Every structure is written in C-alpha cells, then in structure tokens.
Amino acid sequence: MLCIKLCEGIFKVLVKDIPTTCQVSCLEVLRILSRDKKVLVPVTTKENMQILLRLAKLNESDDSLEKVSEFPVIVESLKCLCNIVFNSQMAQQLSLELNLAAKLCNLLRKCKDRKFISDIKCFDLRLLFLLSLLHTDIRSQLRYELQGLALLTQILESAFSIKWTDEYESAIDRNGPPLSPQETDCAIEALKALFNVTVDSWKAHKESDSHQFRVMAAVLRHCLLIVGPTEDKTEELHSNAVNLLSNVPVSCLDVLICPLTHEETAQEATTLDELPNDKTAEKETVLKNNTMVYNGMNMEAIHVLLNFMEKRIDKGSSYREGLTPVLSLLTECSRAHRNIRKFLKDQVLPPLRDVTNRPEVGSTVRNKLVRLMTHVDLGVKQIAAEFLFVLCKERVDSLLKYTGYGNAAGLLAARGLLAGGRGDNWYSEDEDTDTEEYKNAKPNINLITGHLEEPMPNPIDEMTEEQKEYEAMKLVNMLDKLSRRADVKDPHQDGG
C-alpha cells in the first residue's frame, strides 16, 4: 500500500515544473517500483502513461533533440515505460490506444544518426521489441505502415558505421577497433526488434521487398564480420544476427557471399600456385589475408556461421535454442545456393582419408555432427542429419559414406529411403572424388558403423582335421533333419 502511494506521489510531482535532477531521481525510484506488478495495477492509467510519454519526448512534434540536459530524463522515462509495459497488461492495451509504436519510430528517426544519444536509441528499441513481442498486430503495423524494416535496418547501419562499396557490399576495417558497448547493445536491440517485424517473411514476401531484404542481409553479413567489446557480447551479437537471417527469404541470402575484387583474385591465384601439386583437392578453398575464398567467392560470413555452429556444439547444452537456428540457416543456404553448399561440403565433409575410426569418434566438425544424429532431442537429431544429407546432395550412398548406416537410419526411415536412393530436391550432377586411401579401404568398411574393420579370423583355420570332420558331420546331420521335416506332409496344407 505504501509503495502504491509512493508511485502516485511521484506522478503528481512529475507533472510539475521541477529541475531536471529531481525528475531523474523521481524516475529512478519509479523504475525500481515498476518491477512489482502489484504496485503497477492501480497506478497504470492513461494519464500517468501520458506523463511518461511527454518526459520521454514521445509526444514532441519538434524534429530534433537539442537539449542535452534532457537526455537523462528521456532515458529514465523509457526505462520506466519498458518495465511498465512488460509487467502490466493494462499498459499494453494503453500502448495500442496511445499509438506508442508510431511515437517510438518517430523518436528513432530523430536520433538515428546521433551517436552520442545511443542510450535513448537503445531503450527506444527495447520498448519497440517488447511491444512487437506482446502484440502481434504491432508487427504488421511496424512492417507496413511505419516502414519499420527500412528504419531499423538504418539504425543497424548507423550502429556499425557501415560504408558501402557496392549495392550490397560494405567495407570491412580489419584493423579497426571493436564495437563499443553502447553500439553493441543498440545493435542487439535493433536485431531483436527486426526479428519480430520480419517473422514469417521467408514464407511470403512481395517481390518489391527483395531489395530491402538483401540490404538487411548485407548489413547482417557485416555484423558477422565484426566483433563486440567482449567475446560474450560478440557471441550475443552474432546469435541475434543468425536468428534474424533465418527470417530472410532464402533467395535473398546470396548476398552473404560476394565475388572477389581484382586485387583479391590476384592474391588468390598466387596462393593457389603456392599449394603443392598433391593438394589439388584443397586448392578451391584458400585463406589469404584472413579472407576465406572458395571458387572465386568471399566466404568469410559463411565461415563465421560455421565456426559459430561448432562453438554451440562444443557447449554441449541448450542445443534446441542455441544450435538449431544456425543449423537450419546453413541447411537452407546449402539447399538454395550451390556455392555455399560446396564450400560447406569442403569444410564439413572433406575427402575421406582415414576411415579407421567410426564417423562419430573424433573432434572434427563431421564427427560432432554425426554424434548429434543420435541425440535424444528429436529436433536436434533431425536438423543435424538434414544438414549432412543436404551437403551430400540428398544422396543416400554419399551420406552413408560419411556417417555409416547406423547413424543415418533415423533420417532414412523418416524419408522412406532405407533401401537407398535420393531426396526430392535437385542438385548439380558433379560427382564426389574419392581419395586413393578411401578406395583401397572401401571393400573392408563396415556399412553399418561406417569405419574400417580388420577381417575376422576364419575359425576353420585353427581347427585340427578331426575337429573339421566332426563339424562337417554335425552339419550333415542338421541338413538331414531339415530335409526329413520338409518331406512330412502337413494335412492342413492339403488343397483337397
């Protein structure tokens, strides 16, 4: 009861003309109190919400934010609104009535190019994310009426300080400093809001939207190639980028890879010439000046996704939330884009040389993925198997070569391919090239376990002549008994 009266008293003070420092102190107390749902119920009114909107400059018609002294008040008001909207259903309904999403977008437009007010952008974006999470109708409003896709993409461009070198290519400063904590937090909030705005976009989108999705995918490619202030922040940034890429129509993901420049092409040719002649199988993929190159294409972003996937596997927990999004993304990219599939095949399933160990034993990416094919979580098991199946162009014989029949049985049974064959999707007809080591070992590879087994000793070789004669007579007697039983006519089988 005391907390409720305190809240009511704070709102009565906030409507008065008081110094900025007093406003900030009142809002800080309100932010702490707003974490309690019981306190919020009686104080969440339209009038109180409007007070906070005014303090957050969400009702202002002015086109700019000039008074720096007001920034702390704006930030604290936005923080209070985040707590109140998250904890109060009444506030969520009032947000619709007050058209809060449109006001937030208007505030974002005022400060999208102003780096020194990143806290305002960050909490504006967080509130926008909460609204779009709690109200599915707001997602549609943001997407179409408020042009949220373009606006939020521009916010990301600003956070990353992107400089475009081509329509869908940005300059990467490899020696530049990492993102600041403020820029990273702002980018993460923008990625989360964009995720809600673009949910289900891969299912249906207008052809006219393709350009905007490609721009967004190009921004996300840039995101994957930069680092945050800490390793954890970088992983969080990349995780949200992966989630958002999953919403991008797969036809627009071609911008994740790009042709090499003339300088890079020359460097690649030099590197290829430096490789030994007996390494021709590896010549298509080279690393030059920290650039992963494959078949004349820059594959850095795909390589980052692959490393991200492996790190998530190595964590050994939360596979469904942490691993399946990136595995699904790589699977769809591989299915739709030949160069991406071939590059990933080269990295994940290189030509087999050592087949003495089972496919699931070892520390390579292939070993780790094969182990997941028998995971207890059905969803994890299915997507890991699907990824490898697509890399094998959905050919059963190729999959069995890399995984063994026992590990692949679940996927093959679900697809009705236990007897062999291939999936429904079409792939190019280029064939895999087996190594000499694999060709020599192939006759002795156990198809079930997928590894080389030494020939079992012939038990007859260690028998004496007397033992061999005894076993032979034993076999003759057994055959004689079977023959006698077959000659006895079964009356129930008489056709008369």
Side-chain angles (χ1 to χ4, degrees):
M1 189 68 179
L2 183 61
C3 291
I4 295 174
K5 289 185 177 181
L6 180 57
C7 275
E8 292 172 342
I10 289 174
F11 278 110
K12 289 178 181 178
V13 172
L14 288 173
V15 295
K16 299 177 181 179
D17 186 14
I18 58 175
T20 299
T21 53
C22 294
Q23 287 180 321
V24 172
S25 297
C26 288
L27 289 167
E28 286 175 344
V29 175
L30 181 62
R31 171 166 53 85
I32 295 170
L33 293 173
S34 63
R35 297 169 184 168
D36 188 343
K37 293 183 180 181
K38 294 180 181 178
V39 173
L40 286 176
V41 173
V43 298
T44 303
T45 64
K46 185 175 182 179
E47 292 74 18
N48 289 342
M49 287 282 288
Q50 288 175 324
I51 292 172
L52 291 175
L53 295 183
R54 176 178 58 80
L55 292 172
K57 299 298 179 183
L58 291 171
N59 284 337
E60 294 291 317
S61 58
D62 188 16
D63 292 334
S64 61
L65 298 171
E66 297 296 340
K67 294 182 180 179
V68 178
S69 60
E70 295 179 342
F71 290 175
V73 176
I74 298 174
V75 171
E76 283 299 326
S77 300
L78 288 170
K79 288 180 180 178
C80 290
L81 284 168
C82 285
N83 284 353
I84 292 171
V85 168
F86 181 72
N87 288 315
S88 170
Q89 289 187 350
M90 177 59 72
Q92 294 164 20
Q93 293 300 320
L94 287 170
S95 297
L96 292 174
E97 184 179 337
L98 295 169
N99 200 13
L100 181 54
K103 298 179 187 298
L104 289 168
C105 288
N106 187 45
L107 181 60
L108 277 178
R109 290 187 178 92
K110 294 178 187 178
C111 61
K112 66 181 180 182
D113 296 322
R114 306 277 292 279
K115 291 186 178 182
F116 60 90
I117 51 177
S118 55
D119 282 346
I120 295 178
K121 287 192 287 187
C122 184
F123 288 102
D124 185 307
L125 289 164
R126 184 169 299 178
L127 186 50
L128 204 57
F129 163 71
L130 287 172
L131 287 174
S132 57
L133 176 69
L134 297 166
H135 285 292
T136 55
D137 292 343
I138 287 180
R139 298 175 191 172
S140 179
Q141 181 191 13
L142 279 170
R143 173 77 182 278
Y144 300 107
E145 179 185 334
L146 301 175
Q147 302 299 309
L149 184 59
L151 174 62
L152 293 171
T153 301
Q154 290 170 5
I155 293 294
L156 279 178
E157 288 185 47
S158 176
F160 298 145
S161 301
I162 289 181
K163 296 178 181 178
W164 296 104
T165 59
D166 204 342
E167 187 176 22
Y168 302 123
E169 294 179 37
S170 60
I172 305 294
D173 185 2
R174 304 185 190 285
N175 299 318
L179 285 180
S180 69
Q182 293 81 7
E183 290 169 335
T184 306
D185 289 339
C186 184
I188 289 172
E189 294 300 333
L191 289 168
K192 289 159 59 178
L194 265 171
F195 178 84
N196 286 345
V197 173
T198 58
V199 165
D200 295 334
S201 293
W202 61 274
K203 292 181 179 178
H205 73 285
K206 299 177 182 177
E207 189 63 31
S208 57
D209 294 335
S210 293
H211 169 69
Q212 187 59 54
F213 276 115
R214 278 192 162 85
V215 171
M216 187 174 74
V219 172
L220 294 176
R221 178 183 182 274
H222 187 100
C223 176
L224 292 172
L225 300 180
I226 58 178
V227 295
T230 64
E231 186 176 345
D232 287 343
K233 275 296 181 182
T234 300
E235 183 175 353
E236 184 180 359
L237 185 69
H238 290 176
S239 177
N240 281 284
V242 167
N243 291 340
L244 182 52
L245 279 169
S246 300
N247 287 350
V248 176
V250 70
S251 61
C252 299
L253 292 176
D254 54 347
V255 299
L256 290 178
I257 60 176
C258 57
L260 301 182
T261 63
H262 292 300
E263 293 78 6
E264 289 173 331
T265 302
Q267 291 172 352
E268 180 197 16
T270 302
T271 305
L272 287 172
D273 291 339
E274 292 171 355
L275 288 176
N277 290 329
D278 61 348
K279 294 292 184 181
T280 53
E282 288 85 353
K283 279 192 175 185
E284 283 188 288
T285 304
V286 296
L287 184 64
K288 186 70 174 178
N289 294 335
N290 295 321
T291 300
M292 185 63 67
V293 176
Y294 178 83
N295 200 22
M297 304 294 289
N298 187 322
M299 292 288 180
E300 288 178 280
I302 304 301
H303 194 246
V304 170
L305 290 173
L306 186 61
N307 288 339
F308 179 85
M309 178 200 73
E310 188 172 7
K311 287 180 181 178
R312 286 296 171 94
I313 294 176
D314 292 342
K315 279 191 172 182
S317 60
S318 303
Y319 282 157
R320 182 173 284 273
E321 298 80 14
L323 177 62
T324 54
V326 66
L327 261 178
S328 298
L329 174 63
L330 290 174
T331 301
E332 292 307 313
C333 283
S334 300
R335 185 176 278 124
H337 302 288
R338 179 173 179 265
N339 273 324
I340 294 178
R341 173 180 57 79
K342 293 189 71 176
F343 169 75
L344 288 172
K345 171 74 179 299
D346 184 72
Q347 298 293 305
V348 177
L349 302 175
L352 284 175
R353 298 186 184 280
D354 181 10
V355 289
T356 57
N357 294 318
R358 289 172 178 257
E360 66 271 20
V361 176
S363 58
T364 67
V365 182
R366 174 177 76 106
N367 302 144
K368 295 172 183 179
L369 286 167
V370 172
R371 285 197 288 271
L372 290 178
M373 294 175 75
T374 54
H375 196 271
V376 293
D377 188 304
L378 182 60
V380 173
K381 177 170 66 174
Q382 286 177 337
I383 191 59
E386 186 75 13
F387 177 51
L388 292 176
F389 194 42
V390 169
L391 293 188
C392 293
K393 296 187 287 190
E394 300 192 23
R395 288 171 43 189
V396 173
D397 57 340
S398 181
L399 179 69
L400 296 182
K401 180 173 78 173
Y402 290 103
T403 68
Y405 197 90
N407 292 311
L411 171 75
L412 300 181
R415 291 290 200 93
L417 295 172
L418 284 172
R422 62 188 307 165
D424 298 328
N425 293 286
W426 182 89
Y427 297 88
S428 58
E429 292 300 325
D430 50 304
E431 296 294 332
D432 296 331
T433 302
D434 291 333
T435 62
E436 288 300 323
E437 295 91 335
Y438 177 77
K439 289 178 181 177
N440 294 333
K442 187 174 181 180
N444 296 319
I445 292 177
N446 186 317
L447 294 179
I448 302 299
T449 62
H451 81 300
L452 181 65
E453 292 184 350
E454 293 297 329
M456 296 294 291
N458 189 340
I460 297 179
D461 294 341
E462 298 180 358
M463 290 183 181
T464 64
E465 291 300 322
E466 292 79 4
Q467 288 174 322
K468 291 179 182 178
E469 184 176 348
Y470 172 78
E471 292 295 334
M473 291 305 300
K474 188 176 177 181
L475 180 60
V476 169
N477 290 332
M478 291 174 63
L479 291 173
D480 183 59
K481 288 181 180 180
L482 288 173
S483 177
R484 291 173 183 275
R485 289 179 182 178
D487 291 339
V488 176
K489 186 176 181 180
D490 186 347
H492 297 288
Q493 294 181 350
D494 190 348

